[in-house]
Amino acid sequence: MSAKLKAIHTHALDFWLARSSVVVVCALQLLIINKLTLGPQWFGPALEFSLLAPLSMATAWTQGQAREATADHHWHRVARWRRGIRKLAVTLTALVSIMNLAALVMLVKALLGGHSGTSGQTLLLDAINIWTTNVIAFALWFWSIDRGGPAARGLTESEVDDFLFPQMTLDQCKGWSPGFADYLYVSFTNATAFSPTDTMPMTGRTKLLMMAESVISLLTIALVAARAVNILA
């Protein structure tokens, strides 16, 4: 039981880092300058906050229950709640991704149609906004699915690792478990290099996710940002 409790405590900060990243995404969405949202500009952030609030409360409650768990049935209850939390977190991540993809499609459509009606400065700022949101969204995806997600990682054995981190190949790092910062780094490097760097995708779903992130990042940088720079010139 002590190993399980240690894993719960280790992941506690990661949960709040992930929740905080959603708050950052909501702020970025509210800072979009041009009309690039589905519905009113507050609509996406409002939906995300409506999921984030119960998600954060359930996370805090579950962590409290884990600290007080002393028997198997206590741990089974914690496991059920953590699985439910993971499902809600995946739903929230999907919502963030959909809203950001919609913003990118609208901006690209406006640029290709020659009807942007905006200055180069605002286009460039929105491109940076969309790219940053993309990095955070895919960090959440990677964190949520690798080896069953944070609800299972470190608590149950997984037959297949979705990512192979360098630490996993070192004897001195035996028992090491990746945190949210590790997945954020993977997402950032994939969005900048358009390929894996030191961490390798091991399953089909992670390869597809990394491909999708690279395509979105490349489109944002090569088309939207480049067009904005041209307008500035």
Side-chain angles (χ1 to χ4, degrees):
M1 296 300 176
S2 59
K4 292 181 178 180
L5 187 58
K6 180 180 178 181
I8 292 285
H9 286 170
T10 301
H11 293 161
L13 178 60
D14 288 333
F15 276 109
W16 296 116
L17 285 174
R19 306 299 180 253
S20 298
S21 70
V22 177
V23 175
V24 172
V25 166
C26 292
L28 289 172
Q29 291 172 340
L30 291 173
L31 291 174
I32 287 284
I33 301 171
N34 300 290
K35 182 65 177 72
L36 305 173
T37 58
L38 297 174
Q41 191 157 347
W42 54 263
F43 179 68
L47 281 179
E48 290 155 5
F49 267 116
S50 70
L51 294 176
L52 181 62
L55 186 59
S56 299
M57 290 187 288
T59 298
W61 184 86
T62 304
Q63 290 172 350
Q65 292 295 306
R67 286 191 293 268
E68 299 174 0
T70 57
D72 284 342
H73 69 276
H74 294 155
W75 286 107
H76 291 319
R77 181 172 58 186
V78 169
R80 286 196 301 271
W81 272 86
R82 283 166 70 85
R83 286 192 293 269
I85 288 171
R86 186 198 177 202
K87 292 178 181 178
L88 186 58
V90 169
T91 301
L92 177 56
T93 303
L95 178 61
V96 168
S97 299
I98 291 170
M99 298 301 295
N100 194 54
L101 182 59
L104 177 60
V105 169
M106 290 179 188
L107 187 52
V108 171
K109 183 179 179 180
L111 287 169
L112 294 180
H115 303 295
S116 59
T118 56
S119 67
Q121 291 91 335
T122 61
L123 292 174
L124 184 57
L125 289 173
D126 282 344
I128 295 172
N129 189 321
I130 291 170
W131 185 89
T132 303
T133 302
N134 184 53
V135 170
I136 296 174
F138 278 92
L140 290 169
W141 277 118
F142 299 154
W143 180 72
S144 296
I145 69 170
D146 186 25
R147 289 181 288 173
R153 201 157 46 241
L155 300 178
T156 60
E157 292 294 331
S158 175
E159 295 181 359
V160 179
D161 293 333
D162 290 280
F163 288 98
L164 177 63
F165 288 87
Q167 292 89 335
M168 295 177 179
T169 64
L170 303 175
D171 293 336
Q172 60 266 36
C173 294
K174 186 177 181 180
W176 177 85
S177 180
F180 181 74
D182 298 292
Y183 296 105
L184 183 61
Y185 172 78
V186 171
S187 181
F188 177 81
T189 54
N190 187 54
T192 52
F194 310 119
S195 65
T197 52
D198 63 343
T199 302
M200 296 293 107
M202 303 299 291
T203 60
R205 62 182 181 179
T206 51
K207 291 176 182 179
L208 290 174
L209 280 173
M210 293 188 80
M211 286 173 58
E213 182 185 18
S214 294
V215 168
I216 295 172
S217 180
L218 180 61
L219 183 61
T220 305
I221 294 173
L223 180 59
V224 180
R227 178 63 184 273
V229 171
N230 288 336
I231 294 174
L232 283 172

